Amino acid sequence: MKNLLKGAVAIVAVFFSTQFANAQQKLGHINFAEIIQSTSDYKTAEGQLKTLSDGKTKEIQDMVTIYQTKQKEANDKLRNRSEANKETVDPEINKLGQELQDIQSRIQTAQQAAQEELGKKEDELITPIQRKVAEAVSAVSKEKGMAYVFDISSTNIPYFQGGEDLTAAVKTKLGISATAAPAAPAKK
């Protein structure tokens, strides 16, 4: 009977110590996106991406201008087509039609290639920044003894109260002024 009582007391003690330990776990939260956008690396990457995007947009716009010029030329030929000149105008219109299809195909290919190139460049530039910020978050979380840290910028947390906001501490760890405003989101 004494052994049974001692066993029960031991189980209760373990249960309460586990509950006490769980109650002592510290929770924190960060705004990962804000931290990333506050880094100078992000601002540099954003500038490089904008330059690349503007260049690709200009290339595609130049192709569209050529397309529009050819289309106007084809429409003019169609308007001026008559029974008398149809044997010379019809082959020209057919040729312009084929050129328009080719240009349209090149435009679509250029748009897809530009999207892929921009995506790869974004990954190339942003991934190291994300890794650097994640390492800083881990370091600050360990320093502050956090059991859990939630990212409030991307996680669907409908409600939270309490917990420690580690955003400023992570910014400080990264050498970012805690009052620095995040960069405006990139326009797509």
Side-chain angles (χ1 to χ4, degrees), residues 117-134:
E117 187 175 343
L118 281 168
K120 285 178 184 176
K121 188 67 170 178
E122 183 175 9
D123 286 345
E124 175 187 315
L125 295 172
I126 301 300
T127 299
I129 299 168
Q130 291 172 329
R131 191 175 306 117
K132 182 178 173 181
V133 171

Side-chain angles (χ1 to χ4, degrees), residues 77-112:
K77 287 192 182 289
L78 275 172
R79 262 194 305 277
N80 295 326
R81 181 179 177 271
S82 66
E83 282 298 316
N85 68 2
K86 101 177 186 180
E87 289 200 18
T88 57
V89 173
D90 282 352
E92 292 173 4
I93 291 172
N94 288 337
K95 181 180 176 195
L96 285 171
Q98 184 60 44
E99 288 176 13
L100 286 170
Q101 287 177 347
D102 291 344
I103 294 169
Q104 187 174 23
S105 176
R106 287 196 322 254
I107 290 171
Q108 289 173 344
T109 301
Q111 287 172 331
Q112 290 171 347

